[in-house]
Amino acid sequence: MEEIELFATENKIPIMQKESMLYLMEYIKVNNVKKILEIGTAIGYSAIMMASTSKKVNITTIEKDKERYRLAISNIKSHNVNDQIEVINKDACEVELNDTFDLIFIDAAKGKNKLFFNKFKDNLQPNGVIITDNLSFHGLVENPLLIKTKNQKNIVNKIKDFILFLDNNQEYLTEYIKVGDTIAISKRRDDNETNCSS
């Protein structure tokens, strides 16, 4: 995996920070997660790491970039987890799935977090979770004075909008975990919580 990490760094390909990755892997083990949907494969790093937690873990992961898809397929095969991972080379906005999952992991275009959340939430098992990465966006969300470009400002505003969407969501209750670049864990509210907040 060090080769993949080095390749990602050298080629400026965003992969999950090690601290967040280890937290996610532990979450999968502790909660006996078996079926995962990942939005944003990149070069396969997180899918391989999640698959490594157990031979019983199966992952469907979506990547629209053809070159990254090709690299992901190669990396997944070289780590002997291709029987656990299905990679879909398509824009997630255009993917329709009938399957349901224990965990949906959103780690793609940050400006589309809300779109992906709403699109795939019906593919979540009743007791499943939606985990979203990079809600700090390298500290820029908490400290806007660090923002240097218009693009960064635009992404930060969209992440803030997504956080507001999570905080006011009547269907899901979200916990923010301050590991790596901050992840959000969203679980369906039970009927009592929904009624109390409506």
Side-chain angles (χ1 to χ4, degrees):
M1 295 306 291
E2 289 179 359
E3 287 183 15
I4 296 179
E5 292 169 4
L6 183 60
F7 181 88
T9 301
E10 290 176 346
N11 292 275
K12 294 183 170 59
I13 296 172
I15 60 172
M16 198 173 194
Q17 289 186 20
K18 182 62 77 68
E19 186 181 6
S20 304
M21 190 73 252
L22 293 174
Y23 181 92
L24 180 57
M25 291 168 71
E26 186 64 18
Y27 186 95
I28 290 167
K29 292 176 188 174
V30 170
N31 292 278
N32 200 30
V33 171
K34 292 291 185 286
K35 291 181 66 179
I36 300 170
L37 172 63
E38 178 184 47
I39 316 300
T41 315
I43 56 175
Y45 175 75
S46 49
I48 294 167
M49 295 291 274
M50 289 189 290
S52 73
T53 59
S54 169
K55 285 290 185 183
K56 294 180 180 179
V57 170
N58 288 286
I59 301 160
T60 299
T61 181
I62 306 170
E63 176 57 52
K64 70 176 182 178
D65 185 274
K66 288 185 178 180
E67 178 60 18
R68 289 185 181 181
Y69 165 80
R70 186 187 66 77
L71 288 167
I73 291 292
S74 176
N75 288 331
I76 288 165
K77 284 183 178 178
S78 69
H79 285 81
N80 300 312
V81 287
N82 45 300
D83 59 331
Q84 295 175 253
I85 303 172
E86 176 192 5
V87 188
I88 300 172
N89 183 207
K90 200 171 183 180
D91 189 324
C93 297
E94 300 171 0
V95 174
E96 299 296 334
L97 299 171
N98 296 319
D99 211 350
T100 56
F101 302 87
D102 303 316
L103 189 155
I104 296 174
F105 177 45
I106 302 174
D107 190 18
K110 304 309 159 195
K112 294 184 178 179
N113 281 340
K114 191 196 299 186
L115 187 156
F116 294 143
F117 190 104
N118 284 326
K119 179 176 176 61
F120 293 106
K121 66 180 183 178
D122 291 337
N123 295 100
L124 192 67
Q125 293 275 12
N127 295 318
V129 296
I130 300 175
I131 294 182
T132 313
D133 193 24
N134 303 118
L135 293 190
S136 284
F137 196 56
H138 316 297
L140 300 184
V141 172
E142 293 86 356
N143 191 352
L145 293 176
L146 298 175
I147 295 172
K148 296 179 180 178
T149 68
K150 187 176 181 180
N151 183 54
Q152 286 179 341
K153 184 178 181 180
N154 185 42
I155 293 172
V156 166
N157 287 337
K158 287 183 177 179
I159 291 174
K160 285 183 176 180
D161 180 60
F162 178 64
I163 293 170
L164 193 63
F165 160 79
L166 293 178
D167 289 344
N168 293 291
N169 198 298
Q170 298 297 301
E171 190 178 358
Y172 286 83
L173 187 64
T174 298
E175 178 184 8
Y176 300 96
I177 309 297
K178 293 290 186 179
V179 295
D181 204 25
T182 303
I183 62 174
I185 301 179
S186 304
K187 302 177 183 179
R188 282 195 182 93
R189 298 175 184 268
D190 62 32
D191 291 338
N192 292 329
E193 287 174 320
T194 304
N195 291 337
C196 287
S197 59
S198 59

